[in-house]
Amino acid sequence: MPANAYKPFGSGQRACIGRQFAMQEAVLVLGMLIQRFEFVDTFDYQLKIKESLTVKPDGFKITLRQRSGRTTGTNPVAVAPVQATSEEPAPRRQRGEGHSTPLMVLFGSNLGTAEGIATKIAQDATDRGYAVTLGTLDDQTGELPHEGALVVVCASYNGKPPDNADRFCRWITDAATPFDAASDLAFSVFGCGNMDWASTYQAVPTLIDRQLEAHGGQRVRPRGEGDARSDFDGQFSEWYADLWTSLATTLKLTEEAHTASSTEPRLSLSMVNRQTTNPVVVSYRAQPSTLVVNRELLGG
């Protein structure tokens, strides 16, 4: 038989795009259940397989026993009062003050993940005194700065650039692009991807990383890889941990440049309109609409 004669549902490059989300939800639900209940195999179940659309255990039943001292969400949880302290926090640099080194944060993102990470990096850079510019890769087609630093967060879609990074990728790989288009620019790249698409995994972030170096840029951190099939958040945290120190060392900045500075509380809560701040809505400049009438396709 040919090697690829059999392609079951959920396999290969045409796998269900919602699978990772569904698996994440399943893990969260299972964790919530284990927190609150004990699973008891009352019936001494022996595995039997049945097949319908999918393969599943036949006749599998368990008993749940509520864990003592755990809330199920119906009763309020008592919170211990915060003890006042006489110690004053050490004074720190006000937000907006600092060395004002130029830092450009660019992203290529269709679904919002890379844009969300780029927005976080831009905010953290502002807290560290950088003069930050945040935008899409296409915004800088034909023009990269020759001072300061550049951080790129980009995804791949079947080996193709996101919609807001396509023109930049064509420009940076064009033979007519000046060889020193990124000279004197310190840079680092973080790529978003999924190993289910192994043949094109990290293709676009890899291309951007290599082309920036080929055009005179100085890499300050090895390219980071976030795999949505694995521990994406952990991989980003590992790459991000030393980013500010690496930038400060390369740009010969003081220690303050890699220390977040603000006299405001480190944690705060604010209510936002998710419909207007969602990266997908922002990227595509989507506008709200009003549903005037709904006519069902099936009558009674």
Side-chain angles (χ1 to χ4, degrees), residues 175-192:
T177 300
F179 71 93
D180 59 348
S183 61
D184 301 322
L185 182 64
F187 76 90
S188 188
V189 176
F190 183 81
C192 306

Side-chain angles (χ1 to χ4, degrees), residues 41-258:
D41 182 14
T42 307
F43 307 100
D44 189 26
Y45 178 75
Q46 303 296 316
L47 179 63
K48 296 180 181 179
I49 296 296
K50 68 175 181 180
E51 299 181 17
S52 51
L53 179 63
T54 60
V55 176
K56 61 190 70 177
D58 185 22
F60 178 54
K61 296 181 180 180
I62 58 174
T63 302
L64 297 183
R65 179 184 302 148
Q66 186 170 348
R67 294 182 183 271
S68 60
R70 303 297 176 91
T71 177
T72 59
T74 58
N75 299 319
V77 180
V79 179
V82 178
Q83 298 295 327
T85 176
S86 59
E87 296 181 2
E88 294 293 334
R92 308 175 72 188
R93 188 174 68 246
Q94 290 281 358
R95 182 174 296 172
E97 298 177 354
H99 47 92
S100 297
T101 302
L103 175 63
M104 183 170 287
V105 184
L106 301 179
F107 59 86
S109 178
N110 280 359
L111 301 179
T113 301
E115 183 173 352
I117 293 174
T119 302
K120 168 184 168 52
I121 295 173
Q123 182 61 60
D124 290 350
T126 301
D127 292 342
R128 287 165 170 80
Y130 288 88
V132 179
T133 302
L134 174 65
T136 70
L137 282 159
D138 278 354
D139 291 341
Q140 294 303 126
T141 300
E143 183 180 5
L144 285 173
H146 292 278
E147 62 175 341
L150 168 66
V151 178
V152 175
V153 185
C154 189
S156 291
Y157 297 95
N158 284 329
K160 303 296 184 182
D163 294 341
N164 49 18
D166 181 62
R167 287 188 289 110
F168 178 89
C169 289
R170 284 189 277 114
W171 168 72
I172 199 69
T173 56
D174 193 334
T177 300
F179 71 93
D180 59 348
S183 61
D184 301 322
L185 182 64
F187 76 90
S188 188
V189 176
F190 183 81
C192 306
N194 190 318
M195 272 298 292
D196 281 340
W197 286 261
S199 62
T200 59
Y201 177 66
Q202 298 286 337
V204 176
T206 301
L207 178 145
I208 294 173
D209 183 70
R210 292 175 177 173
Q211 289 296 326
L212 287 173
E213 183 182 40
H215 287 82
Q218 180 181 2
R219 185 185 295 106
V220 299
R221 288 278 291 142
R223 176 176 53 84
E225 294 186 0
D227 179 10
R229 194 181 70 174
S230 182
D231 182 13
F232 185 98
D233 291 337
Q235 292 161 346
F236 170 72
S237 297
E238 182 179 355
W239 172 82
Y240 196 50
D242 295 325
L243 176 64
W244 302 114
T245 302
S246 300
L247 283 173
T249 301
T250 302
L251 300 172
K252 297 180 172 58
L253 303 176
T254 63
E255 183 179 353
E256 290 182 343
H258 55 83

